[in-house]
Amino acid sequence: MAEKISVNCQAKLSEAITALSAMFRDKKFVVVSLRPGKDRTLDQNALWFAFYKRIAEMTQIGDPADARRYCKLHFGVQILLNDDQEFQQAWYRVMRHLPYEEKLSMMGDCKLFGPDGFPVTSLFNRAQGIAFTDRIVAEFTAQGVFFGDLLSEVAA
């Protein structure tokens, strides 16, 4: 039931006030947390989706959704397996035995996990997100995909 709204314009402020009012009206008790700053994950997600689009355009991997599934399975899962004992235990118990194509399919929109698929990148901390970005760039730059323009936009 938790809802997160990043307020960066008047329309988003109105949306947040409306959501807060509606929740208060329905539940009578609401916990609100506020913090200044930009949500890093929005920029990171935008960069990754630009990567997926570029990978799809410049390789034979398929469409951007295929590129996303590939990156989540090949890079994201490995990062979490190395860094997170709890994730590792769950992965080995639930997913390890499945055929590759089934695991790949579950990284995207599926009935079991919803539109975002098996949770991988949503579990990342900042360092893991950076490692994911670096692995995508390394793998696909070696295949001739150019990311310099996308990465320079982030640095700007």
Side-chain angles (χ1 to χ4, degrees), residues 43-113:
D43 287 341
Q44 201 167 52
N45 285 344
L47 176 64
W48 292 340
F49 279 93
F51 281 1
Y52 305 145
K53 184 174 185 235
R54 180 72 51 86
I55 292 164
E57 291 168 351
M58 297 186 72
T59 70
Q60 300 299 312
I61 205 163
D63 65 15
D66 294 326
R68 179 174 182 245
R69 284 190 289 273
Y70 179 92
C71 291
K72 283 177 65 176
L73 181 59
H74 287 259
F75 311 126
V77 167
Q78 193 58 55
I79 289 167
L80 290 175
L81 288 174
N82 292 339
D83 291 357
D84 186 330
Q85 183 83 24
E86 193 175 326
F87 179 89
Q88 182 186 71
Q89 290 170 351
W91 178 266
Y92 287 154
R93 186 175 56 252
V94 176
M95 299 289 284
R96 185 181 196 184
H97 70 282
L98 297 174
Y100 173 80
E101 289 299 326
E102 197 169 339
K103 285 186 263 193
L104 187 63
S105 174
M106 287 187 181
M107 294 297 119
D109 186 10
C110 65
K111 296 277 187 204
L112 184 60
F113 297 112

Side-chain angles (χ1 to χ4, degrees), residues 8-76:
N8 58 1
C9 64
Q10 190 63 43
K12 285 292 189 178
L13 178 60
S14 295
E15 180 184 333
I17 292 168
T18 300
L20 176 61
S21 297
M23 192 178 286
F24 179 74
R25 209 174 25 258
D26 292 346
K27 305 296 180 188
K28 300 297 181 227
F29 292 94
V30 179
V31 176
V32 177
S33 297
L34 302 173
R35 70 170 171 79
K38 191 174 181 181
D39 191 347
R40 172 196 54 84
T41 60
L42 294 177
D43 287 341
Q44 201 167 52
N45 285 344
L47 176 64
W48 292 340
F49 279 93
F51 281 1
Y52 305 145
K53 184 174 185 235
R54 180 72 51 86
I55 292 164
E57 291 168 351
M58 297 186 72
T59 70
Q60 300 299 312
I61 205 163
D63 65 15
D66 294 326
R68 179 174 182 245
R69 284 190 289 273
Y70 179 92
C71 291
K72 283 177 65 176
L73 181 59
H74 287 259
F75 311 126

Side-chain angles (χ1 to χ4, degrees), residues 109-125:
D109 186 10
C110 65
K111 296 277 187 204
L112 184 60
F113 297 112
D116 292 327
F118 188 84
V120 176
T121 54
S122 61
L123 303 175
F124 283 172
N125 61 32

